[in-house]
Amino acid sequence: MGLQAGMKSAAVIETEGAQSFRGRIKDFYGVPNSEDILDYDRQITEYALQSLREKPDILAVHLRALDRYSHSRILERNEESCKGY
């Protein structure tokens, strides 16, 4: 999507990952890597709100707290399904 599809897109993710959007999405914001998940997510949220002022058709945001929670739930379900094998 993005520039090729004619949609106004924005992405807010970790700085290194944001570089992969260069030339593909007009508005991308990178947040420095941090071990402090809440501070990282706060910065992501601030940039996301800033990017919404540009009225993108689609906005991709990577919140680590949600990411970690969902991955931990997947692991729990996999462990449960493997019991007895």
Side-chain angles (χ1 to χ4, degrees):
M1 281 195 277
L3 297 176
Q4 295 113 344
M7 295 179 70
K8 187 169 186 174
S9 306
V12 186
I13 60 174
E14 191 269 327
T15 302
E16 191 172 312
Q19 295 307 314
S20 66
F21 290 106
R22 186 176 301 281
R24 297 169 63 197
I25 291 180
K26 182 181 174 210
D27 297 320
F28 61 93
Y29 302 84
V31 172
N33 192 17
S34 173
E35 293 298 317
D36 184 339
I37 293 173
L38 295 179
D39 182 57
Y40 175 88
D41 282 0
R42 180 190 56 76
Q43 290 181 63
I44 290 284
T45 302
E46 287 174 8
Y47 280 123
L49 291 171
Q50 180 180 334
S51 72
L52 287 173
R53 291 186 193 114
E54 300 299 319
K55 300 186 186 316
D57 295 313
I58 187 166
L59 170 62
V61 178
H62 180 236
L63 294 170
R64 284 191 177 160
L66 293 175
D67 189 47
R68 296 265 170 96
Y69 175 77
S70 66
H71 286 286
S72 68
R73 297 291 298 151
I74 290 169
L75 287 174
E76 287 174 12
R77 279 184 253 148
N78 286 341
E79 288 172 358
E80 282 294 315
S81 66
C82 290
K83 285 184 179 177
Y85 285 100

